Coordinates of all heavy atoms in Angstrom, one line a residue:
M1 N -20.7 37.9 37.4 CA -19.7 38.6 36.7 C -20.2 40.0 36.2 O -21.3 40.1 35.7 CB -19.3 37.8 35.4 CG -18.2 36.8 35.7 SD -17.5 36.3 34.1 CE -18.8 35.4 33.4
P2 N -19.4 41.0 36.4 CA -19.8 42.3 36.0 C -19.7 42.6 34.5 O -18.8 41.9 33.9 CB -18.9 43.2 36.8 CG -17.7 42.4 37.1 CD -18.1 41.0 37.1
I3 N -20.4 43.5 34.0 CA -20.4 43.9 32.6 C -19.5 45.1 32.6 O -19.8 46.1 33.3 CB -21.8 44.1 32.0 CG1 -22.6 42.8 32.1 CG2 -21.6 44.7 30.6 CD1 -24.0 43.0 31.8
Y4 N -18.5 45.2 31.8 CA -17.7 46.4 31.6 C -18.0 47.0 30.3 O -18.3 46.3 29.3 CB -16.2 46.0 31.7 CG -15.8 45.6 33.1 CD1 -15.5 44.3 33.4 CD2 -15.8 46.5 34.2 CE1 -15.2 43.8 34.6 CE2 -15.5 46.1 35.4 CZ -15.2 44.8 35.7 OH -14.8 44.4 36.9
E5 N -17.9 48.3 30.3 CA -18.1 49.1 29.1 C -16.8 49.6 28.6 O -16.0 50.2 29.4 CB -19.1 50.2 29.4 CG -19.8 50.7 28.2 CD -20.8 51.9 28.6 OE1 -21.2 51.9 29.8 OE2 -21.1 52.6 27.7
Y6 N -16.6 49.4 27.3 CA -15.3 49.9 26.7 C -15.7 50.9 25.6 O -16.8 50.8 25.0 CB -14.5 48.8 26.1 CG -13.8 47.9 27.1 CD1 -14.5 46.9 27.7 CD2 -12.5 48.2 27.5 CE1 -13.9 46.1 28.7 CE2 -11.9 47.4 28.5 CZ -12.5 46.3 29.0 OH -11.9 45.6 30.0
G7 N -14.8 51.8 25.3 CA -14.9 52.7 24.2 C -13.6 52.9 23.5 O -12.6 52.5 24.1
P8 N -13.6 53.4 22.3 CA -12.3 53.6 21.6 C -11.4 54.6 22.4 O -11.9 55.6 23.0 CB -12.7 54.2 20.2 CG -14.2 54.7 20.4 CD -14.8 53.9 21.5
D9 N -10.2 54.4 22.3 CA -9.2 55.3 23.0 C -8.4 56.0 22.0 O -7.4 55.4 21.4 CB -8.3 54.4 23.9 CG -7.5 55.3 24.9 OD1 -7.8 56.5 25.0 OD2 -6.6 54.8 25.5
G10 N -8.8 57.2 21.7 CA -8.0 57.9 20.7 C -8.7 57.9 19.4 O -9.4 58.8 19.0
G11 N -8.5 56.8 18.6 CA -9.1 56.7 17.3 C -10.6 56.7 17.2 O -11.3 56.9 18.2
D12 N -11.1 56.6 16.0 CA -12.5 56.6 15.8 C -13.2 55.2 16.1 O -14.4 55.2 16.3 CB -12.9 57.0 14.4 CG -12.5 58.4 14.1 OD1 -12.5 59.2 15.0 OD2 -12.3 58.7 12.9
G13 N -12.4 54.2 16.1 CA -12.9 52.9 16.3 C -13.6 52.4 15.1 O -13.7 53.0 14.1
C14 N -14.1 51.1 15.2 CA -14.8 50.5 14.1 C -16.2 50.5 14.4 O -16.7 51.0 15.4 CB -14.2 49.1 13.9 SG -14.6 48.0 15.3
E15 N -17.0 49.8 13.5 CA -18.4 49.7 13.7 C -18.8 49.1 15.1 O -19.7 49.5 15.7 CB -18.9 48.8 12.6 CG -20.3 49.1 12.1 CD -20.6 48.3 10.9 OE1 -20.1 48.6 9.8 OE2 -21.4 47.3 11.1
Y16 N -17.9 48.2 15.5 CA -18.2 47.5 16.8 C -17.9 48.4 18.0 O -18.7 48.4 19.0 CB -17.4 46.2 16.8 CG -17.5 45.4 18.1 CD1 -18.7 44.7 18.4 CD2 -16.5 45.3 19.0 CE1 -18.9 44.0 19.5 CE2 -16.6 44.5 20.1 CZ -17.8 43.9 20.4 OH -17.9 43.1 21.5
C17 N -16.8 49.1 18.0 CA -16.4 49.8 19.2 C -16.6 51.3 19.2 O -16.5 51.9 20.2 CB -14.9 49.5 19.5 SG -13.8 50.1 18.3
A18 N -17.0 51.9 18.1 CA -17.1 53.3 18.0 C -18.0 53.9 19.0 O -17.7 54.9 19.6 CB -17.5 53.7 16.6
N19 N -19.1 53.3 19.2 CA -20.1 53.8 20.2 C -20.0 53.1 21.5 O -20.9 53.2 22.3 CB -21.5 53.8 19.6 CG -21.6 54.6 18.4 OD1 -21.2 55.8 18.4 ND2 -22.2 54.0 17.4
G20 N -18.9 52.4 21.7 CA -18.8 51.7 23.0 C -19.4 50.3 22.9 O -20.3 50.1 22.1
F21 N -18.9 49.4 23.7 CA -19.5 48.1 23.7 C -19.3 47.5 25.1 O -18.5 48.0 25.9 CB -18.8 47.1 22.7 CG -17.3 46.9 22.9 CD1 -16.9 45.9 23.7 CD2 -16.4 47.8 22.3 CE1 -15.5 45.7 23.9 CE2 -15.0 47.6 22.6 CZ -14.6 46.6 23.3
E22 N -20.2 46.6 25.4 CA -20.2 46.0 26.8 C -19.7 44.6 26.7 O -20.0 43.9 25.7 CB -21.6 46.1 27.4 CG -22.0 47.5 27.7 CD -23.4 47.6 28.3 OE1 -24.1 46.6 28.1 OE2 -23.6 48.6 28.9
I23 N -19.0 44.2 27.7 CA -18.4 42.8 27.7 C -18.4 42.3 29.1 O -18.2 43.0 30.1 CB -17.0 42.8 27.0 CG1 -16.6 41.4 26.7 CG2 -16.0 43.5 27.9 CD1 -15.5 41.4 25.6
L24 N -18.8 41.0 29.2 CA -18.9 40.4 30.5 C -17.5 39.8 30.8 O -16.9 39.1 30.1 CB -19.9 39.2 30.3 CG -20.6 38.7 31.5 CD1 -21.4 39.7 32.2 CD2 -21.4 37.5 31.1
Q25 N -17.0 40.3 32.0 CA -15.6 39.8 32.3 C -15.6 39.5 33.8 O -16.3 40.1 34.6 CB -14.6 41.0 32.1 CG -14.2 41.2 30.7 CD -13.0 42.1 30.6 OE1 -13.2 43.3 31.0 NE2 -11.9 41.7 30.1
K26 N -14.7 38.6 34.1 CA -14.5 38.3 35.6 C -13.8 39.5 36.2 O -13.0 40.2 35.5 CB -13.6 37.1 35.7 CG -14.2 35.8 35.5 CD -13.3 34.7 35.8 CE -13.8 33.4 35.3 NZ -12.8 32.3 35.2
I27 N -14.0 39.8 37.4 CA -13.4 40.9 38.1 C -11.9 40.7 38.0 O -11.2 41.7 37.8 CB -13.8 41.0 39.6 CG1 -15.3 41.5 39.6 CG2 -12.9 41.9 40.4 CD1 -15.9 41.6 41.0
S28 N -11.4 39.5 38.1 CA -10.0 39.3 38.0 C -9.4 39.3 36.6 O -8.2 39.3 36.4 CB -9.7 37.9 38.7 OG -10.4 36.9 37.9
A29 N -10.3 39.4 35.6 CA -9.8 39.4 34.2 C -9.0 40.7 33.9 O -9.3 41.7 34.5 CB -10.9 39.2 33.3
K30 N -8.1 40.6 33.0 CA -7.3 41.8 32.6 C -8.2 42.7 31.8 O -9.1 42.2 31.0 CB -6.2 41.3 31.7 CG -4.9 41.1 32.5 CD -3.8 40.8 31.5 CE -2.4 41.2 32.0 NZ -1.4 40.9 31.0
R31 N -8.0 44.0 31.9 CA -8.7 44.9 31.1 C -8.4 44.7 29.6 O -7.2 44.4 29.3 CB -8.3 46.3 31.5 CG -8.8 46.8 32.8 CD -8.3 48.2 33.1 NE -8.8 48.6 34.3 CZ -9.2 49.9 34.6 NH1 -8.9 50.8 33.7 NH2 -9.6 50.2 35.7
L32 N -9.3 44.9 28.8 CA -9.0 44.9 27.4 C -8.3 46.1 27.0 O -8.5 47.2 27.5 CB -10.3 44.8 26.5 CG -11.2 43.6 26.6 CD1 -12.4 43.8 25.7 CD2 -10.4 42.4 26.2
S33 N -7.3 46.0 26.1 CA -6.6 47.2 25.7 C -6.9 47.4 24.2 O -6.6 48.5 23.6 CB -5.1 47.2 26.0 OG -4.6 46.1 25.5
H34 N -7.4 46.4 23.6 CA -7.6 46.4 22.1 C -9.0 45.9 21.8 O -9.5 44.9 22.4 CB -6.5 45.6 21.4 CG -5.2 46.2 21.5 ND1 -4.3 45.9 22.5 CD2 -4.6 47.2 20.7 CE1 -3.2 46.6 22.3 NE2 -3.4 47.5 21.3
C35 N -9.6 46.5 20.8 CA -10.9 46.1 20.4 C -10.8 44.7 19.8 O -10.0 44.4 19.0 CB -11.4 47.1 19.3 SG -12.9 46.5 18.4
P36 N -11.7 43.8 20.2 CA -11.7 42.4 19.7 C -12.0 42.4 18.2 O -11.7 41.4 17.5 CB -12.8 41.7 20.5 CG -13.5 42.7 21.3 CD -12.8 44.0 21.2
A37 N -12.7 43.4 17.6 CA -13.0 43.4 16.2 C -12.0 44.0 15.3 O -11.5 43.5 14.3 CB -14.4 44.1 16.0
C38 N -11.5 45.2 15.7 CA -10.5 45.9 14.8 C -9.1 46.0 15.4 O -8.2 46.6 14.8 CB -11.1 47.3 14.5 SG -11.1 48.5 15.9
S39 N -9.0 45.6 16.6 CA -7.7 45.7 17.4 C -7.2 47.1 17.6 O -6.0 47.3 17.8 CB -6.6 44.7 16.9 OG -6.8 44.2 15.7
G40 N -8.1 48.0 17.4 CA -7.7 49.4 17.8 C -7.7 49.6 19.3 O -8.2 48.8 20.0
P41 N -7.0 50.7 19.7 CA -7.0 50.9 21.2 C -8.3 51.2 21.8 O -9.1 52.0 21.3 CB -6.0 52.0 21.3 CG -6.0 52.8 20.0 CD -6.4 51.7 19.0
V42 N -8.6 50.5 22.9 CA -9.9 50.8 23.6 C -9.5 51.0 25.1 O -8.5 50.6 25.6 CB -10.9 49.7 23.5 CG1 -11.5 49.6 22.1 CG2 -10.3 48.3 24.0
R43 N -10.4 51.7 25.8 CA -10.2 51.8 27.2 C -11.5 51.6 27.9 O -12.6 51.7 27.3 CB -9.7 53.2 27.6 CG -10.7 54.3 27.3 CD -10.1 55.7 27.4 NE -10.9 56.7 26.9 CZ -11.9 57.3 27.6 NH1 -12.0 57.0 28.9 NH2 -12.7 58.2 27.1
R44 N -11.4 51.1 29.2 CA -12.6 50.8 29.9 C -13.2 52.1 30.4 O -12.5 53.0 30.9 CB -12.3 49.9 31.1 CG -13.5 49.2 31.6 CD -13.1 48.0 32.4 NE -12.8 48.4 33.8 CZ -12.3 47.5 34.7 NH1 -12.0 46.3 34.3 NH2 -12.1 47.9 35.9
L45 N -14.5 52.3 30.2 CA -15.2 53.5 30.6 C -15.6 53.3 32.1 O -15.9 52.3 32.6 CB -16.4 53.7 29.8 CG -16.1 53.7 28.3 CD1 -17.5 53.9 27.5 CD2 -15.2 54.9 27.9
L46 N -15.7 54.5 32.7 CA -16.1 54.5 34.1 C -17.6 54.3 34.2 O -18.4 55.2 33.9 CB -15.8 55.9 34.7 CG -14.4 56.0 35.4 CD1 -14.3 57.4 36.0 CD2 -14.2 54.9 36.5
S47 N -18.0 53.1 34.6 CA -19.4 52.9 34.7 C -19.7 51.7 35.5 O -18.8 50.8 35.6 CB -20.1 52.8 33.4 OG -19.7 51.7 32.7
A48 N -20.8 51.6 36.1 CA -21.3 50.4 36.8 C -22.6 50.1 36.2 O -23.6 50.5 36.7 CB -21.3 50.7 38.3
P49 N -22.6 49.4 35.1 CA -23.9 49.2 34.3 C -25.0 48.6 35.2 O -26.2 49.1 35.0 CB -23.5 48.3 33.2 CG -22.0 48.5 33.1 CD -21.5 48.8 34.4
S50 N -24.7 47.7 36.1 CA -25.8 47.1 36.8 C -26.5 48.1 37.7 O -27.7 48.1 37.9 CB -25.3 45.9 37.6 OG -24.2 46.3 38.4
V51 N -25.7 49.1 38.2 CA -26.3 50.1 39.1 C -27.1 51.1 38.2 O -28.2 51.5 38.6 CB -25.2 50.9 39.9 CG1 -25.7 52.0 40.6 CG2 -24.5 49.9 40.8
K52 N -26.5 51.4 37.1 CA -27.1 52.4 36.2 C -28.5 51.9 35.7 O -29.4 52.6 35.8 CB -26.2 52.5 35.0 CG -26.3 53.8 34.2 CD -25.1 54.0 33.3 CE -25.1 53.1 32.1 NZ -23.9 53.2 31.3
M53 N -28.5 50.6 35.3 CA -29.8 50.1 34.8 C -30.8 49.9 36.0 O -32.0 50.2 35.8 CB -29.6 48.7 34.2 CG -28.8 48.7 33.0 SD -28.8 47.1 32.1 CE -28.4 46.0 33.4
G54 N -30.3 49.6 37.1 CA -31.2 49.4 38.2 C -31.9 50.6 38.6 O -33.0 50.9 38.1
R55 N -31.4 51.4 39.5 CA -32.1 52.5 40.1 C -32.4 53.6 39.1 O -33.6 54.1 39.1 CB -31.3 53.1 41.2 CG -31.0 52.1 42.2 CD -30.1 52.8 43.3 NE -30.9 53.7 44.1 CZ -31.0 53.6 45.4 NH1 -30.3 52.7 46.0 NH2 -31.7 54.5 46.1
G56 N -31.5 54.0 38.2 CA -31.7 55.1 37.3 C -33.0 54.9 36.5 O -33.9 55.8 36.6
S57 N -33.2 53.9 35.8 CA -34.4 53.8 34.9 C -35.7 53.4 35.7 O -36.7 53.9 35.4 CB -34.1 52.8 33.8 OG -33.8 51.5 34.4
V58 N -35.6 52.6 36.7 CA -36.8 52.2 37.4 C -37.4 53.4 38.1 O -38.6 53.6 38.2 CB -36.4 51.1 38.4 CG1 -37.6 50.8 39.3 CG2 -36.1 49.8 37.7
L59 N -36.6 54.3 38.7 CA -37.1 55.4 39.5 C -37.1 56.7 38.7 O -37.3 57.7 39.2 CB -36.3 55.6 40.8 CG -36.6 54.5 41.8 CD1 -35.8 54.8 43.1 CD2 -38.1 54.4 42.2
S60 N -37.0 56.6 37.4 CA -37.1 57.8 36.6 C -38.5 58.3 36.6 O -39.5 57.5 36.7 CB -36.6 57.5 35.1 OG -37.6 56.8 34.5
A61 N -38.7 59.6 36.4 CA -40.0 60.2 36.4 C -40.9 59.6 35.4 O -42.1 59.3 35.6 CB -39.9 61.7 36.2
K62 N -40.4 59.3 34.2 CA -41.1 58.7 33.1 C -41.7 57.3 33.5 O -42.8 57.0 33.2 CB -40.2 58.5 31.9 CG -40.8 59.0 30.6 CD -39.7 59.0 29.5 CE -40.3 58.6 28.2 NZ -39.3 58.5 27.2
N63 N -40.8 56.5 34.1 CA -41.2 55.2 34.5 C -42.2 55.2 35.6 O -43.2 54.4 35.6 CB -40.0 54.4 34.9 CG -40.2 52.9 34.8 OD1 -40.8 52.4 33.8 ND2 -39.7 52.1 35.8
I64 N -42.1 56.1 36.5 CA -43.0 56.2 37.6 C -44.4 56.6 37.1 O -45.4 55.9 37.4 CB -42.5 57.3 38.6 CG1 -41.3 56.8 39.4 CG2 -43.6 57.8 39.5 CD1 -40.6 57.8 40.2
E65 N -44.5 57.5 36.1 CA -45.7 57.9 35.5 C -46.4 56.8 34.8 O -47.5 56.5 34.8 CB -45.5 59.1 34.6 CG -45.6 60.4 35.3 CD -45.6 61.6 34.3 OE1 -46.2 61.4 33.2 OE2 -45.0 62.6 34.6
K66 N -45.5 56.1 34.0 CA -46.0 55.0 33.2 C -46.7 53.9 34.0 O -47.7 53.3 33.6 CB -44.8 54.3 32.5 CG -45.2 53.5 31.3 CD -43.9 53.0 30.5 CE -43.4 51.7 31.1 NZ -42.2 51.3 30.5
H67 N -46.2 53.7 35.2 CA -46.8 52.7 36.1 C -47.9 53.3 37.0 O -48.3 52.6 37.9 CB -45.7 52.0 36.9 CG -44.9 51.1 36.0 ND1 -45.2 49.9 35.6 CD2 -43.7 51.4 35.4 CE1 -44.3 49.4 34.8 NE2 -43.3 50.3 34.7
G68 N -48.3 54.5 36.7 CA -49.4 55.1 37.5 C -49.1 55.6 38.9 O -49.9 55.8 39.7
F69 N -47.8 55.8 39.1 CA -47.4 56.3 40.4 C -47.2 57.8 40.4 O -47.1 58.4 39.3 CB -46.1 55.6 40.9 CG -46.3 54.2 41.3 CD1 -45.8 53.2 40.4 CD2 -46.9 53.8 42.4 CE1 -45.9 51.9 40.7 CE2 -47.1 52.4 42.7 CZ -46.6 51.5 41.8
T70 N -47.2 58.4 41.5 CA -46.9 59.8 41.6 C -45.7 60.0 42.5 O -45.5 59.3 43.5 CB -48.1 60.5 42.3 OG1 -49.3 60.2 41.5 CG2 -47.9 62.0 42.3
Q71 N -44.8 60.9 42.1 CA -43.6 61.1 42.8 C -43.6 62.6 43.3 O -43.9 63.5 42.6 CB -42.4 60.9 42.0 CG -41.1 61.1 42.7 CD -39.9 61.0 41.7 OE1 -39.8 61.8 40.8 NE2 -39.0 60.1 42.0
Y72 N -43.2 62.8 44.6 CA -43.1 64.1 45.1 C -41.7 64.3 45.6 O -41.0 63.4 46.0 CB -44.0 64.3 46.3 CG -45.5 64.5 45.9 CD1 -46.3 63.4 45.8 CD2 -46.0 65.7 45.6 CE1 -47.7 63.5 45.4 CE2 -47.3 65.9 45.2 CZ -48.1 64.8 45.1 OH -49.5 64.9 44.8
K73 N -41.3 65.6 45.5 CA -39.9 65.9 45.9 C -40.1 66.9 47.1 O -40.9 67.8 47.1 CB -39.2 66.7 44.8 CG -37.7 66.9 45.0 CD -37.2 67.6 43.8 CE -37.5 69.1 43.9 NZ -37.0 69.9 42.7
N74 N -39.3 66.6 48.2 CA -39.3 67.5 49.3 C -38.6 68.8 49.0 O -37.4 68.8 48.8 CB -38.7 66.7 50.5 CG -38.9 67.4 51.8 OD1 -39.2 68.6 51.9 ND2 -38.8 66.7 52.9
T75 N -39.3 69.9 49.1 CA -38.6 71.2 48.7 C -38.2 71.9 50.0 O -37.6 73.0 49.9 CB -39.6 72.1 48.0 OG1 -40.8 72.3 48.8 CG2 -40.0 71.4 46.7
G76 N -38.5 71.4 51.2 CA -38.1 72.1 52.4 C -39.3 72.8 53.0 O -39.6 72.7 54.2
Q77 N -40.1 73.4 52.1 CA -41.4 74.0 52.6 C -42.6 73.2 52.3 O -43.7 73.5 52.6 CB -41.6 75.4 51.9 CG -40.7 76.5 52.4 CD -39.6 76.8 51.5 OE1 -39.8 76.9 50.3 NE2 -38.4 76.9 52.0
G78 N -42.4 72.0 51.7 CA -43.5 71.2 51.4 C -43.1 70.2 50.3 O -41.9 69.9 50.2
F79 N -44.0 69.7 49.6 CA -43.7 68.7 48.6 C -44.2 69.2 47.2 O -45.3 69.7 47.1 CB -44.3 67.3 48.9 CG -43.7 66.8 50.2 CD1 -44.3 67.0 51.4 CD2 -42.6 66.0 50.1 CE1 -43.8 66.5 52.6 CE2 -42.1 65.4 51.3 CZ -42.6 65.7 52.5
E80 N -43.4 68.9 46.2 CA -43.7 69.3 44.9 C -43.8 68.1 44.0 O -43.0 67.2 44.1 CB -42.6 70.2 44.4 CG -42.9 70.9 43.1 CD -41.6 71.7 42.6 OE1 -41.2 72.6 43.3 OE2 -41.1 71.3 41.6
R81 N -44.9 68.0 43.2 CA -45.0 66.8 42.4 C -44.0 66.8 41.2 O -43.9 67.8 40.5 CB -46.5 66.7 41.8 CG -46.8 65.4 41.3 CD -48.3 65.4 40.8 NE -48.5 66.2 39.7 CZ -49.6 66.8 39.4 NH1 -50.7 66.6 40.1 NH2 -49.7 67.5 38.3
T82 N -43.3 65.8 41.1 CA -42.3 65.7 40.0 C -42.6 64.6 39.0 O -42.0 64.6 37.9 CB -40.9 65.4 40.6 OG1 -41.0 64.2 41.4 CG2 -40.4 66.6 41.4
A83 N -43.6 63.8 39.3 CA -44.0 62.8 38.3 C -45.4 62.3 38.6 O -45.8 62.4 39.8 CB -43.0 61.6 38.3
G84 N -46.1 61.9 37.6 CA -47.4 61.5 37.8 C -48.4 62.6 37.6 O -48.1 63.8 37.4
T85 N -49.7 62.2 37.5 CA -50.7 63.3 37.2 C -51.8 63.3 38.3 O -52.6 64.2 38.3 CB -51.4 62.9 35.9 OG1 -51.9 61.6 35.9 CG2 -50.5 63.1 34.7
K86 N -51.7 62.3 39.2 CA -52.7 62.3 40.3 C -52.2 63.1 41.4 O -51.0 63.3 41.7 CB -52.9 60.9 40.7 CG -53.8 60.1 39.7 CD -53.9 58.6 40.1 CE -53.7 57.8 38.8 NZ -53.0 56.5 39.1
G87 N -53.2 63.7 42.2 CA -52.8 64.4 43.4 C -52.5 65.9 43.1 O -52.3 66.3 42.0
P88 N -52.4 66.6 44.2 CA -52.1 68.1 44.0 C -50.7 68.3 43.5 O -49.8 67.5 43.7 CB -52.3 68.6 45.4 CG -52.1 67.5 46.3 CD -52.6 66.2 45.6
K89 N -50.5 69.5 42.9 CA -49.2 69.8 42.3 C -48.2 70.0 43.4 O -47.0 69.7 43.3 CB -49.3 71.0 41.4 CG -48.2 71.1 40.5 CD -48.6 71.7 39.1 CE -47.4 71.8 38.2 NZ -46.6 70.6 38.0
T90 N -48.7 70.7 44.5 CA -47.8 70.9 45.6 C -48.6 70.5 46.9 O -49.8 70.6 47.0 CB -47.3 72.3 45.8 OG1 -48.5 73.2 45.8 CG2 -46.4 72.7 44.6
I91 N -47.8 70.1 47.9 CA -48.4 69.8 49.2 C -47.7 70.6 50.2 O -46.5 70.6 50.3 CB -48.3 68.3 49.6 CG1 -49.0 67.4 48.5 CG2 -48.9 68.1 51.0 CD1 -48.7 65.9 48.7
T92 N -48.4 71.5 50.9 CA -47.8 72.3 52.0 C -48.3 71.8 53.3 O -49.5 71.7 53.5 CB -48.0 73.8 51.8 OG1 -49.4 74.0 51.4 CG2 -47.1 74.3 50.7
P93 N -47.4 71.6 54.3 CA -47.9 71.1 55.6 C -48.6 72.2 56.4 O -48.4 73.4 56.1 CB -46.6 70.7 56.3 CG -45.5 71.3 55.5 CD -46.0 71.8 54.2
Ligands
ZN1 ZN1 -13.0 48.3 17.0

């Protein structure tokens, strides 16, 4: 079941929905239109949380460094180090 993210639609929302909330719903389930806590209007935000959590954070420069890896970016003329502290700053072929 996917997790959907909702946020207030229009109003300020309540403590529960003001900064958005996530809810597990069946794909076939109806979208929520009202906050379960304050019944204010909410709308589903465009996001795919499982994708966001997956690749985004695991391959972030910070995470790569934390685990002792080094990341290089292909610049066209060579490679430039974008994460990590080991290895040369740039590699030119
Ligand atoms: Zn609310």
Side-chain angles (χ1 to χ4, degrees):
M1 269 199 296
I3 297 168
Y4 292 109
E5 202 179 338
Y6 286 87
D9 190 14
D12 292 335
C14 66
E15 217 172 281
Y16 179 69
C17 64
N19 297 313
F21 60 93
E22 291 179 340
I23 195 161
L24 203 64
Q25 282 191 302
K26 283 186 190 160
I27 289 180
S28 57
K30 270 187 154 180
R31 291 177 176 213
L32 294 181
S33 56
H34 293 91
C35 169
C38 69
S39 19
V42 291
R43 65 189 170 89
R44 200 158 86 185
L45 307 176
L46 269 183
S47 66
S50 53
V51 174
K52 206 164 70 186
M53 290 192 312
R55 302 179 72 128
S57 57
V58 171
L59 288 180
S60 71
K62 223 172 148 184
N63 202 41
I64 286 170
E65 272 188 39
K66 197 174 90 187
H67 291 280
F69 292 104
T70 306
Q71 181 188 59
Y72 285 93
K73 188 179 80 184
N74 191 341
T75 60
Q77 281 105 45
F79 295 90
E80 190 185 296
R81 195 176 68 204
T82 52
T85 50
K86 285 172 224 149
K89 201 145 180 48
T90 54
I91 300 172
T92 40

